[in-house]
Amino acid sequence: MTSLVPDISDAYETLPHLPAWVTQGHRETPEDVAYLSGATLSHLHLVFTRDDVPHGLLRERLALRAAELGVTHSGRPERAPDLRDAVNLLRDGDLPGPAGEVYLAWRRAVERPISVASLHRALPGHALEALELWLAAGQGAPVARAAGVLEAVLAEAPRAHLAALILADAALAQALGWSHLVPLLSIGLKRADLRLTGAQLHLACHRALHIAGIEAVQLLTDLTRRTARLRAVAPKLRAKGAAEAVALFLTRDAVAPTALPLPDRAARRLCDRLVQLGAIRELTGRDTFRLYGV
């Protein structure tokens, strides 16, 4: 019996795996922690230079993860499915709610190259001049620079956790030569870590980057495999607007059929077809108001 899904064995080159001594390394001393975080960042930098990985989709998934953790730390009950609904099912004139605003901030922070203007778009509640000063507050190597930004923001605005984490991850990305912000510190840091200063905060940032970097590499490996499958089945699609729809799925965490450049019925048929081909998944488990993603 012929498979519905084309062979994708040659569709992408397997990404290099993190060695076991990094993923299973013991963070027993400050030197161990710094060494392992450096090794993890070096590996991330290596895979981020590749053209065959879905950079935009990775940033979107990590933005969702960062938003979920931030909302959890603030004591709110919303989780990833709720955040997806809050943003992707918005209608004109609707408000996303406090948790949805956090998710929107992260999405805006990761979707454009880093600049003070793009960060202000994500954090409109803070003055452009303040964001510029905070982003320049860190000095030294990448992790020290990011920790310095984190500390500077929270010293001036102790409750501005969202701004502090977005700016710290932006400073880290800039120091590493990345064009876009990648949520890492925001995923690895614990709420209690945000009360630390000086050397203790630097150490917490190293520990956080080791943890979050491993998660990011594992996610990127999975997304690269999944997007290769989507690209492989794309030539089988005959619907007008299918190419534009595939482009959305390759860059967005979740897509509602109504967001696709097709009539409603055609959009739902295309989503069902892509699910049948194993190229995307239905993310909600609902019969109505469905969302789809790689």
Side-chain angles (χ1 to χ4, degrees):
M1 182 176 178
T2 303
S3 172
L4 290 171
V5 181
D7 180 13
I8 61 167
S9 58
D10 296 326
Y12 71 99
E13 190 176 327
T14 302
L15 292 177
H17 296 289
L18 275 165
W21 61 265
V22 175
T23 58
Q24 301 172 20
H26 296 293
R27 302 183 299 272
E28 296 177 351
T29 67
E31 292 77 15
D32 291 335
V33 175
Y35 183 72
L36 290 171
S37 79
T40 307
L41 284 176
S42 179
H43 186 88
L44 271 177
H45 186 76
L46 174 66
V47 296
F48 282 177
T49 61
R50 295 171 60 125
D51 295 329
D52 59 343
V53 299
H55 297 278
L57 182 55
L58 173 70
R59 292 195 302 269
E60 279 250 329
R61 285 282 161 86
L62 291 177
L64 176 63
R65 177 74 171 137
E68 182 182 34
L69 288 171
V71 167
T72 300
H73 291 164
S74 69
R76 296 193 61 87
E78 292 90 347
R79 295 299 180 262
D82 306 303
L83 298 178
R84 280 183 172 136
D85 284 353
V87 169
N88 290 291
L89 299 180
L90 274 180
R91 297 180 179 179
D92 291 341
D94 287 349
L95 296 176
E101 289 286 1
V102 172
Y103 183 27
L104 277 175
W106 275 111
R107 284 186 58 173
R108 290 167 180 160
V110 303
E111 67 185 0
R112 296 184 180 184
I114 299 168
S115 68
V116 176
S118 68
L119 293 170
H120 186 252
R121 180 171 174 268
L123 299 165
H126 297 276
L128 196 71
E129 296 77 10
L131 297 178
E132 187 172 15
L133 288 173
W134 283 337
L135 189 61
Q139 301 293 325
V143 179
R145 180 174 169 182
V149 169
L150 193 65
E151 189 168 352
V153 176
L154 294 176
E156 188 171 338
R159 303 183 69 176
H161 290 178
L162 177 62
L165 290 167
I166 286 177
L167 290 170
D169 271 324
L172 178 72
Q174 283 187 325
L176 292 168
W178 300 346
S179 61
H180 289 71
L181 184 157
V182 179
L184 292 172
L185 286 167
S186 48
I187 291 174
L189 284 170
K190 300 176 182 178
R191 182 176 178 84
D193 292 333
L194 301 182
R195 296 193 291 268
L196 302 175
T197 59
Q200 288 185 316
L201 179 59
H202 288 205
L203 184 62
C205 287
H206 277 296
R207 187 180 295 109
L209 289 169
H210 180 220
I211 294 168
I214 292 172
E215 181 176 338
V217 171
Q218 292 171 341
L219 177 59
L220 184 58
T221 300
D222 180 59
L223 291 178
T224 300
R225 175 180 58 81
R226 291 179 179 275
T227 53
R229 182 179 296 272
L230 177 56
R231 290 190 179 98
V233 305
K236 298 173 68 73
L237 306 174
R238 297 289 180 262
K240 185 178 180 181
E244 292 85 352
V246 168
L248 280 176
F249 285 119
L250 288 171
T251 55
R252 298 275 186 88
D253 163 66
V255 179
T258 54
L260 298 178
L262 292 91
D264 287 349
R265 184 173 296 179
R268 290 194 297 271
R269 283 201 304 266
L270 177 63
C271 290
D272 289 341
R273 175 65 170 158
L274 287 171
V275 170
Q276 180 187 25
L277 291 170
I280 63 172
R281 298 170 291 160
E282 202 287 310
L283 301 172
T284 68
R286 298 188 295 247
D287 293 329
T288 58
F289 299 105
R290 290 180 159 188
L291 297 173
Y292 297 84
V294 170

